[in-house]
Amino acid sequence: MDEPWYSSISDDLEKVERLMMDTVRSRNPELTEICRYVLGTNGKRIRPSICLLSYRACGGRSPGKARDAAAALEIIHNATLIHDDINDQGELRRGAQAAYKKYSIGKSIVAGDFLFALGYRLIGSSSPEVVDFIVDASVAMGAGEFDQKEFERNIEVTEDDYIKIIEGKTARLMECGAKIGSFLAGADDKMIGGMGEFAFRTGIAFQIVDDVLDVIGSESITGKRTGSDIMEGKPTLPMIYAMQDPVHGDELKEIFGKKELGWPEVADAIEMIKKTDSTKRCMEKAKRIAEDSRPLLDVIEDSVYKRSLIDLSDYIVSRNR
Amino acid sequence: MDEPWYSSISDDLEKVERLMMDTVRSRNPELTEICRYVLGTNGKRIRPSICLLSYRACGGRSPGKARDAAAALEIIHNATLIHDDINDQGELRRGAQAAYKKYSIGKSIVAGDFLFALGYRLIGSSSPEVVDFIVDASVAMGAGEFDQKEFERNIEVTEDDYIKIIEGKTARLMECGAKIGSFLAGADDKMIGGMGEFAFRTGIAFQIVDDVLDVIGSESITGKRTGSDIMEGKPTLPMIYAMQDPVHGDELKEIFGKKELGWPEVADAIEMIKKTDSTKRCMEKAKRIAEDSRPLLDVIEDSVYKRSLIDLSDYIVSRNR
């Protein structure tokens, strides 16, 4: 791990890694193997980092519970990834074979459920507030996935619909990480609110960039097949903007609205999107959201951890994976 | 609802029904619909009943939190049913079309995850002990499902393997219901332990009878296709005992070990199992477990609720659905 914000919390992050691998040990060796396979694949650990940095930035000095929560967030996030891949029939995840491809759909459904339970167990001994933060985020993720399905291959999808979808799907769990971290550090409501809102907006920016990378990213770096979102008919901002293009918009609408697509058509769509100003507009929007969220950090004093939160936010809108 | 133990807690059970239906309301109408569809199908409400009866039998008089926990148990149980049906390709559940058949696999996976989160949310505001009880049971369910998969179509499966499987798959959540109920009523550790053990054994007996009903039950009453377990290659006690039969054992082993089965073969297997003493032995075992568990209730004083727990235990080993 060598991203710029890691250094200030490298010790905490290493302990979180070990904690995750210990947590998923079960009496069934194959269940343990699947969980470790999924958790072990090269994730960016954004959610644990937000939680730990928020904890440290708010002055926390005994990070035991924050580490538990950080591990829980990553475990729950990975549970959703396992289930998402089944849903989306995604074959690659972080450059490795998706769990359901390697171990079967049935085992992957149960492994996901098992990870959810382990995540909740890790934070169950925390205060009711912490449990509330995380279950609220989990509930929002479910609703977000359904909102997304509603707009699959639906050319009427608007930017507002998209933002609503990614709020539930991505931003709420990021917000939750910051809220838990600052709450555990003893922050007051105003500080928790500010930190949460910063992470929430960071999550929105993160997802926009993720969706841009599906169009312009390099498969060998993102670890996912380029154009997967288009193949799956997912409503994304790059597609929404590109469908507004005066030259290519109509043809893209036709592709996006199709029930069945082949990879050659997906490649055509990518080429067309690249000819519009869509990905540029998306990146500008993501960068603006990230920049506009910085003043929210005024609720906390300057520190190496606050600096790392800004680094993380910078990374999110400049990354290539 | 007219089972013998309902009367003493009918008011609580009705409130739990309403609580469940309210809990699953979400901003996405289809998500709400799926959850209500699953929860609304004619379940026996065994887990909420055990929780509420344990609470009342241990002297609890303000059942608000016990009702929350009862609803959470049923919601989590239904989450596992949705996912199990996808896994097992079961087409009918409680006489109705399985959710994944009616609404798609993808939506059902997310709806299950959503129900898990809602279940945890309902008990999240309870004490850490209660959260621990329920997440431990959820973790055990995951391991139980994996243990089961390990022995699918495996003719080497023993009675001990089977008991280990159903402990995780079924008995732990029942135990959890009794432990939460008695804990919330202020019971001491000895009482909680006794109530939990009673419910645990009741769960073992319950699952044995469930597996017998897969062989001898009537489809119109159980609401599931007879022989589904055989079709899916599930290790069950009726099959384990029948495979020991000197006359039909070898032929049953051959069928149980087959990778692909057709319904005519399943029907043959059912006829063969019926010719052995297997289901009789299973029912005797279930009844013995239920009877032997009664003295565990000596930890609590006599009451209408204790009587209902015994009624429930009687029902479980004499039911036809």
Side-chain angles (χ1 to χ4, degrees):
Chain A
M1 299 215 235
D2 51 2
E3 306 305 349
W5 73 88
Y6 288 159
S7 58
S8 65
I9 48 166
S10 59
D11 180 55
D12 286 335
L13 278 172
E14 270 166 39
K15 290 202 168 81
V16 166
E17 288 297 318
R18 280 202 295 277
L19 179 57
M20 290 196 296
M21 292 303 161
D22 285 348
T23 298
V24 301
R25 184 180 297 136
S26 88
R27 69 165 188 236
N28 187 297
E30 194 180 17
L31 180 53
T32 311
E33 182 189 320
I34 299 178
C35 293
R36 289 188 176 161
Y37 173 76
V38 173
L39 286 169
T41 46
N42 203 16
K44 293 177 283 287
R45 309 304 190 215
I46 302 273
R47 292 152 193 83
S49 296
I50 286 180
C51 178
L52 293 164
L53 287 172
S54 300
Y55 177 79
R56 295 285 187 185
C58 289
R61 294 288 172 267
S62 338
K65 285 197 166 182
R67 284 186 204 134
D68 287 350
L73 287 163
E74 188 68 12
I75 287 173
I76 289 172
H77 170 57
N78 276 274
T80 67
L81 294 185
I82 296 178
H83 286 179
D84 284 354
D85 282 340
I86 300 171
N87 249 321
D88 301 339
Q89 297 170 26
E91 305 205 350
L92 280 180
R93 165 73 66 186
R94 298 167 183 160
Q97 207 178 7
Y100 82 97
K101 277 271 164 193
K102 193 172 160 82
Y103 298 100
S104 89
I105 290 181
K107 286 177 183 174
S108 299
I109 292 178
V110 180
D113 293 350
F114 182 71
L115 286 178
F116 274 119
L118 291 177
Y120 295 126
R121 175 149 76 177
L122 261 181
I123 47 115
S125 55
S126 251
S127 51
E129 287 91 342
V130 172
V131 177
D132 277 352
F133 287 144
I134 211 153
V135 289
D136 283 349
S138 303
V139 168
M141 280 194 284
E145 285 293 328
F146 261 77
D147 294 338
Q148 178 169 286
K149 282 182 183 298
E150 206 177 308
F151 288 105
E152 259 174 25
R153 308 186 197 282
N154 180 345
I155 60 168
E156 304 292 329
V157 61
T158 66
E159 184 168 346
D160 283 351
D161 298 327
Y162 170 79
I163 296 293
K164 191 178 118 187
I165 291 166
I166 67 173
E167 278 181 15
K169 200 177 85 156
T170 308
R172 288 282 168 223
L173 195 63
M174 303 259 195
E175 177 189 32
C176 162
K179 281 184 165 178
I180 293 179
S182 47
F183 172 83
L184 288 174
D188 61 21
D189 284 350
K190 191 186 156 204
M191 217 187 264
I192 296 172
M195 297 298 288
E197 183 66 24
F198 168 79
F200 179 79
R201 296 195 200 174
T202 304
I204 298 283
F206 176 87
Q207 190 59 51
I208 293 173
V209 175
D210 225 54
D211 292 345
V212 168
L213 287 173
D214 187 66
V215 178
I216 62 165
S218 157
E219 215 154 293
S220 61
I221 301 175
T222 62
K224 280 187 277 201
R225 181 148 188 184
T226 309
S228 298
D229 292 343
I230 301 171
M231 188 65 174
E232 294 153 18
K234 274 192 193 161
T236 68
L237 198 56
M239 181 57 91
I240 291 167
Y241 282 168
M243 286 193 296
Q244 296 165 356
D245 186 74
V247 180
H248 302 285
D250 286 344
E251 207 170 338
L252 280 166
K253 276 184 191 169
E254 204 180 302
I255 293 178
F256 183 64
K258 265 197 180 173
K259 283 221 163 176
E260 294 281 337
L261 280 182
W263 284 105
E265 275 172 302
V266 171
D268 289 348
I270 289 175
E271 286 318 303
M272 272 187 275
I273 296 173
K274 282 181 176 168
K275 284 181 191 148
T276 72
D277 62 353
S278 166
T279 60
K280 185 165 155 276
R281 279 175 71 196
C282 288
M283 289 308 295
E284 279 167 5
K285 186 179 172 84
K287 282 183 177 150
R288 199 166 55 247
I289 292 171
E291 269 160 36
D292 291 352
S293 72
R294 304 278 157 78
L296 287 160
L297 291 180
D298 290 349
V299 291
I300 50 172
E301 282 175 33
D302 287 345
S303 71
V304 58
Y305 306 110
K306 178 172 172 174
R307 182 67 243 165
S308 287
L309 280 167
I310 295 168
D311 287 343
L312 186 148
S313 157
D314 276 337
Y315 165 82
I316 272 174
V317 292
S318 62
R319 69 202 169 98
N320 60 3
R321 72 166 189 130
Chain B
M1 299 216 238
D2 51 2
E3 305 304 350
W5 72 87
Y6 287 159
S7 57
S8 65
I9 48 166
S10 59
D11 180 56
D12 285 336
L13 278 172
E14 270 167 38
K15 291 203 167 81
V16 166
E17 288 297 317
R18 281 202 294 279
L19 179 57
M20 290 197 295
M21 293 303 161
D22 285 349
T23 298
V24 300
R25 184 180 296 136
S26 89
R27 70 165 187 234
N28 187 297
E30 194 180 16
L31 181 54
T32 311
E33 183 189 320
I34 300 178
C35 294
R36 289 189 175 160
Y37 173 75
V38 174
L39 286 169
T41 47
N42 203 18
K44 293 178 283 287
R45 308 306 190 215
I46 302 274
R47 291 152 194 84
S49 296
I50 287 180
C51 178
L52 293 165
L53 287 172
S54 300
Y55 177 79
R56 295 285 188 182
C58 290
R61 295 286 172 267
S62 338
K65 284 197 167 180
R67 284 187 202 131
D68 287 350
L73 287 163
E74 188 68 12
I75 286 173
I76 289 171
H77 170 56
N78 276 274
T80 66
L81 294 185
I82 296 179
H83 287 178
D84 284 353
D85 282 341
I86 299 171
N87 250 319
D88 301 339
Q89 297 170 28
E91 305 205 350
L92 280 181
R93 166 70 67 185
R94 297 169 184 159
Q97 206 178 9
Y100 82 96
K101 278 271 165 192
K102 193 171 157 85
Y103 298 101
S104 90
I105 290 182
K107 286 177 183 173
S108 299
I109 293 177
V110 180
D113 293 349
F114 182 70
L115 286 178
F116 274 119
L118 291 177
Y120 296 126
R121 175 149 76 178
L122 260 181
I123 47 115
S125 56
S126 251
S127 51
E129 287 90 341
V130 172
V131 177
D132 277 352
F133 287 144
I134 210 154
V135 289
D136 283 349
S138 305
V139 168
M141 281 194 283
E145 286 293 329
F146 262 77
D147 293 338
Q148 177 169 286
K149 281 181 185 299
E150 207 177 309
F151 288 105
E152 261 174 24
R153 308 185 197 282
N154 180 345
I155 60 168
E156 304 292 329
V157 61
T158 65
E159 183 168 346
D160 283 351
D161 298 327
Y162 170 78
I163 295 293
K164 192 178 118 186
I165 290 166
I166 68 173
E167 278 180 17
K169 201 178 86 158
T170 308
R172 288 283 167 222
L173 195 62
M174 303 258 194
E175 175 190 32
C176 161
K179 280 184 165 178
I180 292 179
S182 46
F183 173 84
L184 289 174
D188 60 22
D189 284 350
K190 193 186 153 204
M191 217 187 266
I192 296 171
M195 299 296 290
E197 183 66 23
F198 168 79
F200 179 79
R201 296 194 199 175
T202 304
I204 299 282
F206 176 88
Q207 190 59 51
I208 293 174
V209 175
D210 225 54
D211 292 346
V212 168
L213 287 173
D214 187 66
V215 178
I216 62 165
S218 157
E219 215 155 294
S220 61
I221 301 176
T222 62
K224 280 188 274 201
R225 182 147 187 184
T226 309
S228 298
D229 291 343
I230 302 170
M231 187 65 175
E232 294 153 18
K234 274 192 193 161
T236 67
L237 198 55
M239 182 57 92
I240 291 168
Y241 282 167
M243 287 193 297
Q244 296 165 357
D245 185 75
V247 180
H248 302 285
D250 285 346
E251 207 171 338
L252 280 166
K253 277 185 191 169
E254 204 180 301
I255 293 178
F256 183 64
K258 266 197 178 174
K259 281 221 165 172
E260 294 281 337
L261 279 183
W263 284 106
E265 275 173 303
V266 171
D268 288 348
I270 289 176
E271 286 319 304
M272 272 187 275
I273 296 174
K274 281 181 179 167
K275 283 181 193 149
T276 72
D277 62 352
S278 166
T279 60
K280 186 165 154 275
R281 278 175 71 195
C282 288
M283 289 308 295
E284 279 166 7
K285 187 180 170 84
K287 282 184 177 150
R288 198 166 56 246
I289 292 172
E291 267 160 36
D292 290 353
S293 72
R294 303 278 157 79
L296 287 160
L297 291 180
D298 290 349
V299 291
I300 49 171
E301 283 176 32
D302 287 345
S303 71
V304 57
Y305 306 111
K306 180 172 170 175
R307 182 67 243 165
S308 288
L309 281 167
I310 296 168
D311 287 343
L312 186 148
S313 158
D314 277 337
Y315 165 82
I316 273 173
V317 291
S318 62
R319 68 202 169 97
N320 61 3
R321 72 168 189 127

